[in-house]
Amino acid sequence: MKKFFAILLTAFLGLSFVSTAAFADVTKGQRLFQKKLKKPCGMTGAKFAAKHTQDEWEEIYESGKFKEEVNKICPKVKPEAIKDKWVKHLFDFCYEYASDSGNVPSC
């Protein structure tokens, strides 16, 4: 019985680490926006994320046109300047603070 709980605890801890790395992070997206996009965009994160509704952001992300949309909103930010590993975090930030979400970021 003790061995069973040890295996169960190990599996639970392992899954918690995997799930943390596999999912995007709104806070990380907000930090990326502040650090990489806020100045060239010339707008706050609230204004940027509110350019679309949650459904619109989701459709843009799923179609693979997130970088192009950022470029449309912020012409000074070229799509190649946004690293692929940032996209899921930036999308989560935009989705969390979209115009119809009722949430307002602090940046």
Side-chain angles (χ1 to χ4, degrees):
M1 194 69 166
K2 190 175 180 180
K3 189 174 182 179
F4 173 74
F5 284 115
I7 291 171
L8 186 65
L9 180 63
T10 304
F12 178 74
L13 288 173
L15 286 174
S16 67
F17 287 119
V18 169
S19 65
T20 301
F23 295 108
D25 184 359
V26 173
T27 307
K28 189 170 184 175
Q30 184 172 347
R31 279 184 281 152
L32 283 167
F33 181 84
Q34 285 177 314
K35 193 172 181 180
K36 306 291 183 182
L37 301 178
K38 188 174 182 178
K39 189 174 180 181
C41 281
M43 66 178 76
T44 64
K47 285 184 179 178
F48 178 82
K51 293 290 183 185
H52 293 288
T53 63
Q54 287 181 326
D55 288 342
E56 290 169 344
W57 278 120
E58 193 168 14
E59 186 178 319
I60 291 165
Y61 179 73
E62 289 176 356
S63 66
K65 297 180 179 178
F66 187 82
K67 290 181 181 182
E68 288 82 13
E69 188 61 27
V70 172
N71 181 249
K72 277 188 205 171
I73 297 170
C74 308
K76 291 182 180 177
V77 178
K78 301 296 177 205
E80 56 272 2
I82 301 171
K83 295 181 181 178
D84 289 338
K85 64 182 181 181
W86 298 352
V87 171
K88 61 185 175 190
H89 302 297
L90 288 169
F91 162 70
D92 265 15
F93 167 71
C94 292
Y95 187 85
E96 180 74 19
Y97 299 110
S99 61
D100 62 341
S101 70
N103 300 326
V104 179
S106 61
C107 62

